[in-house]
Amino acid sequence: MTSSSSSSQTFEASQDSKRLAHSYPEGLRADALMEEDVTWSHEFDGERDGDQFDRSERAALRRVTGLSTELEDVTEVEYRQLRLERVVLVGVWTSGTARDAENSLAELAALAETAGAVVLDGVIQRRDKPDAATYIGSGKADELRDIVLETGADTVICDGELSPGQLIHLEDVVKVKVIDRTALILDIFAQHAKSREGKAQVALAQMQYMLPRLRGWGQSLSRQMGGGSGGLATRGPGETKIETDRRRIREKMAKMRREIAEMKTGREIKRQERRRNKVPSVAIAGYTNAGKSSLLNRLTGAGVLVENALFATLDPTVRRAETPSGRLYTLADTVGFVRHLPHHLVEAFRSTMEEVGDSDLILHVVDGSHPDPEEQLAAVRGVIRDVGATDVPEIVVVNKADAADPLVLQRLLRIEKRSIAVSARTGQGIAELLALIDSDLPRPSVEIEALVPYTHGKLVARAHTEGEVISEEHTAEGTLLKARVHEELAADLAPYVPAPAL
């Protein structure tokens, strides 16, 4: 039965092909075979289900209705929540106590939240040193993969700087994106950079971090044409795509360094102007989120952005201030530091951190309410040592005294000889801090008494701005001035020093 029906269908198909051969010339047979209206027949095609389309309609893109998520009403934006990245934290505890490891992971969680992520879980592994292949070892990497699957996380953040090999191997196991502490901090800096110099410094640091971690596959590892003497197929192997990318990154890094050097020149000119006018400078340095910007606002009324977030301030802010005795000085707010600050950032922000090295006094701000303020002090001093500012006098300002444990405050004030407890929020201890700044700022070296004629009032004004006026009396002959001034101003005032009485 089957063979007879099959033979009949074969016979009909051959008859159709014969009719087609008679109807069309030899050159048009192939085109005719592709035309559906020619091959269509009631016998076979009449029973097809659904609409029949020609070939162009079948190949065309067809829009599927009901998939668009475009909002029809602008007010619907308020009801749509931003999906934050869901992360799992992992740290390796190699030294110190368990509390130190937990504090480090808690700080990593704060960094992740500042970057815009939701922390789902955090784990710590005790090891002598990180595993060379997967950072936490193959067995723990499998356990981490189970945690990722259980929590539904899409990113793993490691509390340390991973080598390119560790990054690749750990991603192969956990099957989600893996980043390290350095990449996280760079991301926060990229979000918060506002000025042209800040953006250039962050871009330089990112490229320094990215350069050894470029990956290539497929076409990225194939040889590009070129590198020969210009023959038909360009003799020589040429560069791979990844080599080309690395060369371009190096060129961009060189360009960024030139731009940052040009910006440094402008800041150096301003610094030289302050030196010429003999204006002392005070730099505020400290751990991130310790309250440096709040202290600057309290001391000068600068109105700098204050936010309870890590690295909220990146660009240095310089404001003029005045001591209780009337001496002028500048107060500079610098970028916050953090433990294990990436060396890429230290190098990129070196020009900004020079404000600390060129200052006459450092206000080292530490968060008194932090669980481990001594660790903050050590981390900041490590960065200060890297920028060569170890010879600058330092005052340790224990901020947030209103929220700190009194026992912690007593311990810090006892350990740090030049220290004071303040609260930038309530104003507690600010008057004592100003008096301490006044006493620690470098004083002019020459004490002089001169009777300055009223026609030379500029010299009196310079004594107020550049020196320290001890007494001032207006007489019939002029202004009797007693002040401490620098050598240059002392030379200008020398003609008006009264002759000693015989």
Side-chain angles (χ1 to χ4, degrees):
M1 183 72 179
T2 306
S3 60
S4 62
S5 62
S6 175
S7 60
S8 63
Q9 291 177 1
T10 304
F11 175 78
E12 292 176 358
S14 62
Q15 291 296 110
D16 290 338
S17 61
K18 289 180 180 178
R19 287 195 300 270
L20 189 63
H22 290 297
S23 303
Y24 289 86
E26 184 68 26
L28 298 180
R29 286 180 188 173
D31 295 336
L33 286 171
M34 299 301 295
E35 294 293 339
E36 290 195 2
D37 56 346
V38 175
T39 58
W40 188 91
S41 65
H42 287 285
E43 184 176 358
F44 295 104
D45 301 312
E47 299 179 357
R48 291 180 182 175
D49 54 341
D51 296 332
Q52 306 303 312
F53 302 97
D54 60 23
R55 190 161 51 119
S56 60
E57 290 177 334
R58 286 203 311 270
L61 292 175
R62 283 177 286 171
R63 185 178 298 278
V64 180
T65 59
L67 295 184
S68 175
T69 58
E70 185 177 359
L71 299 178
E72 297 180 358
D73 189 354
V74 179
T75 58
E76 294 182 26
V77 176
E78 300 176 3
Y79 300 97
R80 173 171 292 186
Q81 295 182 350
L82 177 66
R83 184 188 179 279
L84 300 177
E85 202 160 351
R86 300 158 61 85
V87 302
V88 171
L89 311 180
V90 57
V92 173
W93 170 22
T94 57
S95 62
T97 63
R99 182 177 179 83
D100 295 336
E102 292 174 359
N103 289 339
S104 180
L105 206 67
E107 182 178 272
L108 186 67
L111 289 169
E113 291 176 358
T114 302
V118 176
V119 179
L120 302 179
D121 203 351
V123 292
I124 301 175
Q125 187 201 8
R126 185 71 171 96
R127 293 180 64 95
D128 294 334
K129 61 180 181 179
D131 182 68
T134 59
Y135 182 67
I136 55 176
S138 57
K140 296 300 180 183
D142 293 336
E143 294 181 20
L144 180 61
R145 179 188 57 200
D146 296 337
I147 295 175
V148 168
L149 292 175
E150 180 184 349
T151 57
D154 44 33
T155 302
V156 171
I157 304 179
C158 297
D159 191 15
E161 185 168 343
L162 302 185
S163 67
Q166 289 173 327
L167 201 66
I168 295 172
H169 292 148
L170 192 56
E171 277 189 352
D172 289 340
V173 176
V174 298
K175 305 301 182 184
V176 295
K177 181 175 66 175
V178 176
I179 64 173
D180 57 11
R181 183 188 184 93
T182 301
L184 180 62
I185 294 176
L186 288 173
D187 183 76
I188 296 173
F189 271 58
Q191 292 181 36
H192 291 178
K194 296 294 186 293
S195 68
R196 178 169 170 258
E197 183 175 11
K199 292 179 180 179
Q201 289 168 331
V202 172
L204 176 60
Q206 286 178 322
M207 285 186 285
Q208 286 176 329
Y209 174 79
M210 185 195 314
L211 185 60
R213 290 170 175 81
L214 284 180
R215 301 189 220 171
W217 57 87
Q219 290 295 324
S220 297
L221 295 178
S222 63
R223 294 289 176 182
Q224 308 298 304
M225 296 181 67
S229 57
L232 292 176
T234 63
R235 301 166 184 82
E239 291 180 306
T240 62
K241 180 65 168 59
I242 195 169
E243 289 171 343
T244 305
D245 293 341
R246 285 174 179 158
R247 177 167 50 81
R248 289 176 177 172
I249 289 178
R250 291 190 186 98
E251 292 172 355
K252 288 183 179 180
M253 288 170 58
K255 180 182 178 182
M256 286 293 179
R257 289 192 179 99
R258 289 193 298 269
E259 292 180 357
I260 293 174
E262 293 173 359
M263 300 175 200
K264 176 185 175 182
T265 303
R267 192 170 50 253
E268 182 64 27
I269 291 173
K270 296 178 183 177
R271 200 177 294 138
Q272 289 177 356
E273 182 70 15
R274 294 197 294 267
R275 290 198 200 103
R276 188 177 65 82
N277 293 328
K278 301 296 187 295
V279 179
S281 61
V282 178
I284 301 178
Y287 214 78
T288 180
N289 209 31
K292 298 181 299 299
S293 298
S294 300
L295 184 64
L296 177 69
N297 291 341
R298 174 65 69 172
L299 293 175
T300 65
V304 177
L305 168 69
V306 174
E307 187 177 352
N308 185 21
L310 305 183
F311 300 115
T313 305
L314 290 186
D315 303 316
T317 303
V318 181
R319 292 291 183 268
R320 194 171 85 164
E322 188 174 337
T323 64
S325 62
R327 300 171 60 197
L328 293 178
Y329 66 97
T330 60
L331 199 61
D333 182 18
T334 60
V335 62
F337 303 147
V338 70
R339 73 182 75 181
H340 310 306
L341 188 68
H343 64 278
H344 310 290
L345 284 174
V346 176
E347 183 64 29
F349 279 79
R350 184 172 295 276
S351 59
T352 302
M353 294 176 182
E354 286 175 357
E355 293 288 348
V356 178
D358 291 339
S359 62
D360 298 302
L361 180 65
I362 296 176
L363 297 184
H364 186 165
V365 184
V366 60
D367 183 359
S369 63
H370 191 270
D372 192 1
E374 288 87 356
E375 180 67 24
Q376 289 192 351
L377 287 168
V380 174
R381 281 171 176 158
V383 180
I384 290 176
R385 185 169 55 252
D386 291 340
V387 298
T390 53
D391 297 332
V392 182
E394 176 191 68
I395 298 176
V396 176
V397 182
V398 186
N399 194 21
K400 304 181 184 180
D402 55 325
D405 186 352
L407 295 178
V408 175
L409 291 180
Q410 293 177 10
R411 186 178 75 238
L412 288 174
L413 297 178
R414 184 178 66 253
I415 296 174
E416 300 294 337
K417 302 305 179 184
R418 299 288 297 169
S419 60
I420 184 173
V422 303
S423 173
R425 187 175 67 86
T426 64
Q428 172 189 343
I430 297 298
E432 292 81 358
L433 176 60
L434 287 171
L436 197 58
I437 293 173
D438 196 359
S439 64
D440 281 19
L441 280 178
R443 294 182 176 276
S445 56
V446 180
E447 184 173 332
I448 192 171
E449 184 174 354
L451 182 62
V452 183
Y454 290 119
T455 55
H456 293 75
K458 288 184 178 180
L459 293 176
V460 178
R462 284 181 59 190
H464 280 278
T465 56
E466 301 177 17
E468 182 180 354
V469 176
I470 301 174
S471 64
E472 184 179 9
E473 182 183 352
H474 299 286
T475 65
E477 293 81 8
T479 303
L480 183 60
L481 185 69
K482 185 178 181 181
R484 291 189 185 92
V485 295
H486 297 284
E487 295 179 356
E488 295 179 3
L489 183 55
D492 294 338
L493 289 171
Y496 308 108
V497 175
L502 299 176

